[in-house]
Amino acid sequence: QVRLVESGGGSVQAGGSLRVSCAASRYIGNIYYMAWFRQAPGKEREGVAAIDPGGGGTYYADSVKGRFTISRDNAKNTLYLQMNSLKPEDTAMYYCAAGRISAGNPLGEYEYNYWGQGTQVTVSS
């Protein structure tokens, strides 16, 4: 079992930046892909960014490319998402996830077995 705990969410004005973090309860480096998903009220959860076990490969949704950066520190069992140039449409609950990719879709929700409880990000205009 892997427990994931997100932190760092909050409120920011449009154009601002936030960094959210996700701490894993045990070492998962070189084992699991990790990813960030988000869900806005009334919308389905969507994949935002993912990173391979070693940290060398990253994947982004088109809506965040060039603005968000995913990274991981396997020595600290921690995943990060740096969010710049935030827009009101980025407002959502952000969840981190970990899993082994079996179907070849790192941004696919079904690929992930372990989920955090989420951290709220609110961007005001």
Side-chain angles (χ1 to χ4, degrees), residues 5-30:
V5 179
E6 301 94 338
S7 61
S11 297
V12 66
Q13 288 192 327
S17 297
L18 274 176
R19 188 176 81 158
V20 291
S21 302
C22 172
S25 59
R26 64 172 179 83
Y27 181 73
I28 57 174
N30 294 315

Side-chain angles (χ1 to χ4, degrees), residues 6 10-11 16 22 25 27 38-40 48 57 61 72 78 80 88 95 97-98 109-110 116:
E6 301 94 338
S11 297
C22 172
S25 59
Y27 181 73
R38 67 184 181 187
Q39 187 168 23
V48 174
R72 64 192 294 171
T78 303
Y80 304 99
Y95 300 90
E109 185 176 351
Y110 53 86

Side-chain angles (χ1 to χ4, degrees), residues 6 13 21 46-47 50-51 53 55 59 83 89 112 117:
E6 301 94 338
Q13 288 192 327
S21 302
E46 63 170 344
I51 188 166
Y59 311 83
M83 302 180 288
E89 50 264 44
Y112 294 88
Q117 294 300 306

Side-chain angles (χ1 to χ4, degrees), residues 28-96:
I28 57 174
N30 294 315
I31 300 174
Y32 292 112
Y33 276 72
M34 297 190 78
W36 289 98
F37 290 78
R38 67 184 181 187
Q39 187 168 23
K43 294 188 177 181
E44 293 187 354
R45 189 153 57 182
E46 63 170 344
V48 174
I51 188 166
D52 71 14
T58 56
Y59 311 83
Y60 294 95
D62 288 342
S63 58
V64 306
K65 279 181 184 175
R67 300 189 298 122
F68 291 11
T69 302
I70 189 171
S71 61
R72 64 192 294 171
D73 185 337
N74 286 337
K76 296 182 178 179
N77 301 332
T78 303
L79 175 73
Y80 304 99
L81 184 67
Q82 176 67 44
M83 302 180 288
N84 298 329
S85 302
L86 281 160
K87 304 175 181 180
E89 50 264 44
D90 295 317
T91 295
M93 186 72 79
Y94 282 72
Y95 300 90
C96 73

